[in-house]
Amino acid sequence: MSDALLRNERLLDLLVKQATEGMSAAEQSELDRLLAQHDDGDPQLIERIAAAVALAGDFPDEPLPAALRARIEAQAVKELPAGQSNVTPLRPRSTAVASSAAGRFGWLAAAACLVLAVIAWWPKLREMVEPPVSVTRTVPHTPTLAEQRLALLQKGATQSEWSNTEDPASQGVKGDVVWDNATQRGFIRFTGLAANDPKRSQYQLWIFDARRDDRYPIDGGVFDIPANATEVVVPITAKLAVNQPAAFAVTIERPGGVVVSAREHVVALAKVAAG
Amino acid sequence: MDEPVLKRIARGEQRAVAECIDQFGNLIWALARRLTRTRADAEDAVQEIFIDLWRSAGRFDPAQGSEKVFITTIARRRLIDRLRRAAQEPARESTEALEAAGWAEPGTRAEVCVEAEQAARAVARLRPEQQKVLELGILQGLSHSEIAARTGMALGTVKTNMRRGLIEVRELMETFGAQAAGGSRT
């Protein structure tokens, strides 16, 4: 961590709070803003120090239960698809715990804008039919993410195009969401989304479920866009079951994603057609 | 030198999963048992932590520390999230009260990795009130307000002790690391 970060008392306070007791939405937003002003720091250092301190404690001398281990191994089979090299979700959350009226209004306003944007852009978006080419590592004898996406689409999964927002980072972003509700699988595809430095920020997908409170979108995972990528395909990793997907949104968050999105940078929105 | 198991998991190597659980399963279980109210809570938390781990393995950078610290960081994030959520729910009693966590006896737990050994030595050099705040906050998962209530310290004092304690631990760990590097060169 740079001395500059250490000298910023408020920033240090927030990093310590994050590492020891967690933060509110407002604090998370403030931390993100402060970190954005420091490009040379290591925002995870305090968490690592706290982890090392935790390891200096004594622990119950109790092995991992065998039945639990079996469940973990079974889950791992589902979580480790080959060819996930450009996907680095770190902190999938079951929900975004947002409570402010302003935050709710922000999503609603964004959803309203989305409808208008989709209408306005629809003709152009429909022209964006390109052969999918994944930038992810190709594993011999294993379908690439692009191939998996195409296969899912051919099985009848829904396809929703991204539309742009007013965020500067949204300009030029194109692509789509392919989602199969029956199997709870899906992929997001992008062109024009800027590469991110995973040490500074990451993209996070949110899924709005028509049967859930729209203040609590389902976390769809955190991901990165590699430098020089032309098109990126990312598998969706929804933590909760999606009942009736209504819309998908992508935000820029701190590394690892957030529990509470400040919703300051919504860079892509896709409304799922009713039906 | 063996390739870190997290790197192999990041490549989708299923065989590395069992090795990872062998190496770190008991640790994650222990962390969860310390920072959850019941055994059932701990089981849920551990499953969530491992899902986080499978998905984030690609972010492990050996230059920033050991796998054990990386995994503990991920586990603590998830456990802190759960603690915060639990704090917003109606209070319920723990069904299994574990003995309160404290510092490990020297030479028993602190040897689990270099960082933990250095952290243990660093904590031992802190002032007693700083040690207490770190113990209650980091080992037992109490919030700053709960630490204030437990110790009688003012909330601001708790925060100051936590912050200064962690910074001093960080500085001491750097010193120990430099000394070890110097020793290994001579």
Side-chain angles (χ1 to χ4, degrees):
Chain A
M1 179 177 283
S2 71
D3 288 340
L5 283 188
L6 286 175
R7 281 196 297 271
N8 187 321
E9 293 236 341
R10 180 57 182 162
L11 179 51
L12 187 55
D13 277 346
L14 290 170
L15 290 171
V16 168
K17 198 167 193 304
Q18 177 189 44
T20 56
E21 66 170 11
M23 292 185 295
S24 67
E27 289 166 336
Q28 181 68 63
S29 176
E30 184 182 2
L31 176 60
D32 292 342
R33 279 198 302 275
L34 289 171
L35 285 174
Q37 296 166 12
H38 296 82
D39 291 335
D40 58 343
D42 176 3
Q44 275 95 50
L45 179 61
I46 295 293
E47 284 186 296
R48 290 202 301 275
I49 297 296
V53 169
L55 288 169
D58 63 356
F59 294 109
D61 187 15
E62 185 180 311
L64 181 72
L68 177 58
R69 179 186 176 119
R71 291 201 295 275
I72 292 165
E73 288 184 329
Q75 184 70 38
V77 172
K78 289 188 279 185
E79 293 290 339
L80 264 65
Q84 60 168 5
S85 59
N86 73 334
V87 186
T88 57
L90 179 59
R91 298 182 71 189
R93 305 282 172 227
S94 56
T95 56
V97 186
S99 57
S100 73
R104 180 170 192 170
F105 176 78
W107 282 119
L108 292 173
C113 291
L114 166 67
V115 174
L116 295 174
V118 168
I119 292 170
W121 279 88
W122 186 253
K124 289 184 180 179
L125 294 171
R126 293 303 299 168
E127 293 169 4
M128 292 169 41
V129 180
E130 304 169 30
V133 180
S134 172
V135 299
T136 57
R137 174 172 53 86
T138 300
V139 178
H141 311 299
T142 303
T144 65
L145 292 173
E147 290 166 346
Q148 293 177 47
R149 171 191 167 279
L150 192 58
L152 197 63
L153 196 55
Q154 289 169 343
K155 288 179 181 174
T158 59
Q159 183 178 24
S160 310
E161 306 277 1
W162 291 119
S163 60
N164 300 118
T165 68
E166 293 182 354
D167 193 290
S170 177
Q171 301 316 304
V173 174
K174 292 180 170 60
D176 58 19
V177 183
V178 170
W179 177 256
D180 177 32
N181 215 44
T183 59
Q184 296 283 295
R185 292 181 64 227
F187 297 88
I188 47 180
R189 184 177 59 132
F190 297 99
T191 59
L193 189 56
N196 63 300
D197 176 357
K199 292 182 179 176
R200 307 302 310 170
S201 65
Q202 289 189 288
Y203 293 104
Q204 188 162 9
L205 176 69
W206 303 96
I207 306 167
F208 289 82
D209 189 331
R211 296 186 199 168
R212 296 180 188 272
D213 190 327
D214 64 6
R215 291 174 297 175
Y216 307 105
I218 297 167
D219 180 358
V222 179
F223 62 95
D224 299 318
I225 299 293
N228 303 318
T230 53
E231 182 176 85
V232 175
V233 177
V234 179
I236 295 172
T237 54
K239 182 67 193 310
L240 287 180
V242 181
N243 299 305
Q244 187 179 337
F248 296 80
V250 174
T251 60
I252 299 175
E253 307 292 354
R254 67 181 176 81
V258 294
V259 179
V260 182
S261 176
R263 302 163 184 185
E264 292 178 337
H265 296 291
V266 180
V267 297
L269 283 165
K271 181 174 170 58
V272 178
Chain B
M1 189 173 176
D2 290 343
E3 184 180 22
V5 70
L6 291 175
K7 291 292 183 191
R8 293 164 54 207
I9 285 171
R11 287 202 307 267
E13 201 179 303
Q14 292 283 349
R15 194 171 49 184
V17 166
E19 291 177 35
C20 184
I21 299 173
D22 286 343
Q23 289 182 42
F24 304 112
N26 290 356
L27 169 66
I28 294 174
W29 174 245
L31 289 167
R33 288 288 277 149
R34 277 294 181 218
L35 298 182
T36 55
R37 291 172 175 168
T38 68
R39 188 180 179 88
D41 286 344
E43 292 196 5
D44 289 346
V46 167
Q47 288 190 89
E48 291 178 1
I49 290 165
F50 270 104
I51 291 173
D52 288 352
L53 193 54
W54 306 144
R55 294 174 177 180
S56 62
R59 297 184 70 246
F60 170 63
D61 179 359
Q64 292 193 321
S66 67
E67 287 183 297
K68 193 158 282 181
V69 166
F70 179 84
I71 287 169
T72 302
T73 301
I74 288 175
R76 284 181 49 78
R77 284 177 181 174
R78 173 61 66 177
L79 291 165
I80 289 171
D81 284 348
R82 291 179 64 94
L83 280 173
R84 281 186 66 83
R85 286 204 298 269
Q88 294 165 0
E89 297 169 352
R92 56 193 172 96
E93 291 298 317
S94 169
T95 56
E96 299 171 76
L98 289 173
E99 188 179 332
W103 302 111
E105 288 294 319
T108 56
R109 286 287 315 178
E111 76 283 7
V112 291
C113 65
V114 171
E115 294 104 316
E117 186 271 334
Q118 291 175 345
R121 289 170 61 196
V123 167
R125 294 194 183 189
L126 298 180
R127 296 202 310 274
E129 60 270 28
Q130 290 176 329
Q131 288 183 19
K132 192 65 182 174
V133 167
L134 263 60
E135 177 185 327
L136 293 175
I138 295 177
L139 302 190
Q140 297 186 25
L142 270 60
S143 69
H144 298 172
S145 299
E146 289 169 332
I147 296 171
R150 175 80 65 91
T151 61
M153 293 181 197
L155 180 58
T157 305
V158 170
K159 292 181 176 182
T160 300
N161 279 324
M162 184 69 84
R163 185 180 64 187
R164 289 184 180 167
L166 284 169
I167 293 301
E168 286 185 35
V169 167
R170 174 239 185 197
E171 291 169 352
L172 286 164
M173 288 175 68
E174 284 187 349
T175 301
F176 298 149
Q179 288 172 349
S184 66
R185 282 196 297 269
T186 57

